[in-house]
Amino acid sequence: MAPRPLSAGRPVFIYGSLMYESVLKVLLGRIPKARPALLQGYVRRRIKGERFPGLSPVSGADDGSVVRGLVMDDLTAREAAIFDEFEDDEYDKEPVTAILVSGVECDNVLAWGQTPPKPTDAQLEGNSITALAYIWTDLDKLDDVNWLPE
């Protein structure tokens, strides 16, 4: 596996287990600043036999697939390394273009991830940001079922 791009000082798009405040507190000892975001052209699927998701680009024509997540842009080098360790070798870290969603209160981070996946047109017109995301590499292990936080 090639070395992952450094995340420190760069925005990171999170979409699964890392959206849980309890997970962030255990891993980092704090809750980093998070902004609601959408990622078009990707799906967040359950990984067979696991409780966590994998993010995968949609192949072929754009079918309107959108993943709700969060952009964190204040990770330290140490915290970025912890994320890299947490997300094992079956993920590649790649740049993606996320859409920041304004007007959404993000006090309950989990609630943002649980909302219905179809965004409004107004949400899709937000500012774009380049962020790093952990992309699942073993597509055969992805289930046909979308993953939602519980």
Side-chain angles (χ1 to χ4, degrees), residues 47-66:
I47 296 170
K48 295 174 184 172
E50 302 292 349
R51 296 181 54 100
F52 54 87
L55 184 70
S56 175
V58 176
S59 58
D62 180 18
D63 67 352
S65 295
V66 177

Side-chain angles (χ1 to χ4, degrees), residues 81-145:
I82 290 170
F83 274 18
D84 284 349
E85 185 70 24
F86 182 78
E87 303 291 6
D88 64 22
D89 291 345
E90 291 180 298
Y91 292 92
D92 281 341
K93 189 163 61 172
E94 300 176 8
V96 297
T97 302
I99 301 168
L100 296 173
V101 179
S102 60
V104 175
E105 291 300 322
C106 209
D107 290 340
N108 184 348
V109 172
L110 191 54
W112 170 251
Q114 288 177 324
T115 15
K118 284 293 181 191
T120 66
D121 288 341
Q123 289 175 324
L124 289 173
E125 294 173 1
N127 292 326
S128 296
I129 186 170
T130 299
L132 296 170
Y134 293 92
I135 310 296
W136 186 255
T137 59
D138 189 352
L139 300 182
D140 291 335
K141 288 187 178 179
L142 288 180
D143 211 334
D144 290 334
V145 177

Side-chain angles (χ1 to χ4, degrees), residues 33-72:
K33 177 182 152 194
R35 296 186 281 171
L38 300 168
L39 186 59
Q40 291 180 289
Y42 287 80
V43 291
R44 176 178 55 191
R45 295 284 165 85
R46 186 174 59 201
I47 296 170
K48 295 174 184 172
E50 302 292 349
R51 296 181 54 100
F52 54 87
L55 184 70
S56 175
V58 176
S59 58
D62 180 18
D63 67 352
S65 295
V66 177
V67 174
R68 287 178 180 260
L70 300 165
V71 169
M72 294 186 167

